[in-house]
Amino acid sequence: MDLVSSLDPAIATRLKRDADGLVPAVVQDVESRDVLMVGWMDDEALHRTLTTGRGTFWSRSRQEYWVKGETSGHTQAVREVRLDCDGDTLLVLVDQSGPACHTGERTCFDADRLL
Amino acid sequence: MDLVSSLDPAIATRLKRDADGLVPAVVQDVESRDVLMVGWMDDEALHRTLTTGRGTFWSRSRQEYWVKGETSGHTQAVREVRLDCDGDTLLVLVDQSGPACHTGERTCFDADRLL
């Protein structure tokens, strides 16, 4: 995960990563404004997201990169990427094609309401 | 942080925490649908959020609980809390009073657009 990344150094210096070199990336639907999911990005995943326009994440469980929709076809066309005031969280605005959740739900937050 | 928490055991068993016992909590404005900020919660912060209706977080830098608006007056009245499909991220829908960001911006994602 700590490979040399091609991420723009001007961005890389503003990123505050956790101990694993990751930041959470909140993915929001640009149309419905629903929060769809949260993924994790290292420098390389962010670089790929910014340059390919496809939501690209680091899987903490599988320890590999994954592109949203690569297997399901439910792709995320990236419209906007923002870094928060502390530099430790990303907000990614996307055009989501089909359900965002691997369970088939529209969002990953649809199924379990605590309050 | 690993104190015994009063969090409902039925919820606690569904939570998948990171190595520090935390999950990210995405805070969204229930009216504007803006993503306002991302904070971190352990079991106790979630318990307090659910039972007091005030957004309560764990500060990773200060290693203490904090209640949104406690010093700024810019409180978050919690309307809804959802757990994601993996049990490792929370979505908190709030009525935000005033700017959500400590910099005075409306959201923590207003200032730094990468794409």
Side-chain angles (χ1 to χ4, degrees), chain B residues 101-115:
Chain B
C101 188
H102 70 283
T103 63
E105 301 269 6
R106 203 171 39 97
T107 90
C108 291
F109 296 97
D110 279 3
D112 195 353
R113 184 171 176 176
L114 306 182
L115 179 80

Side-chain angles (χ1 to χ4, degrees), chain A residues 11 14 18 24 26 28 32-35 38 40 46 49-50 53 60 78-86 88-91 101-103 108-115, chain B residues 11 14 18 24 26 28 32-35 38 40 46 49-50 53 60 78-86 88-91 101-103 108-115:
Chain A
I11 294 173
R14 302 211 291 288
D18 69 10
V26 179
Q28 183 178 29
S32 71
R33 312 269 290 150
D34 285 331
V35 175
V38 171
W40 293 83
L46 175 56
T49 297
L50 291 171
R60 296 179 300 172
V78 176
R79 297 292 174 235
E80 211 172 305
V81 178
R82 292 177 170 277
L83 185 62
D84 84 336
C85 55
D86 294 324
D88 62 7
T89 311
L90 294 160
L91 177 62
C101 188
H102 70 282
T103 63
C108 292
F109 296 97
D110 279 2
D112 196 352
R113 183 169 176 178
L114 306 183
L115 179 80
Chain B
I11 294 173
R14 303 211 291 287
D18 70 10
V26 179
Q28 184 178 28
S32 71
R33 312 268 291 152
D34 286 332
V35 175
V38 171
W40 294 82
L46 175 55
T49 297
L50 291 171
R60 296 179 301 172
V78 176
R79 297 293 174 232
E80 211 172 304
V81 179
R82 292 176 171 277
L83 186 62
D84 84 335
C85 56
D86 293 325
D88 62 7
T89 311
L90 294 160
L91 177 63
C101 188
H102 70 283
T103 63
C108 291
F109 296 97
D110 279 3
D112 195 353
R113 184 171 176 176
L114 306 182
L115 179 80

Side-chain angles (χ1 to χ4, degrees), chain A residues 15-52:
Chain A
L15 267 192
K16 293 209 192 82
R17 309 155 193 83
D18 69 10
D20 296 317
L22 301 171
V23 294
V26 179
V27 182
Q28 183 178 29
D29 190 304
V30 75
E31 287 291 328
S32 71
R33 312 269 290 150
D34 285 331
V35 175
L36 299 173
M37 52 169 275
V38 171
W40 293 83
M41 292 188 188
D42 63 1
D43 286 33
E44 180 61 22
L46 175 56
H47 172 68
R48 293 186 194 180
T49 297
L50 291 171
T51 52
T52 66

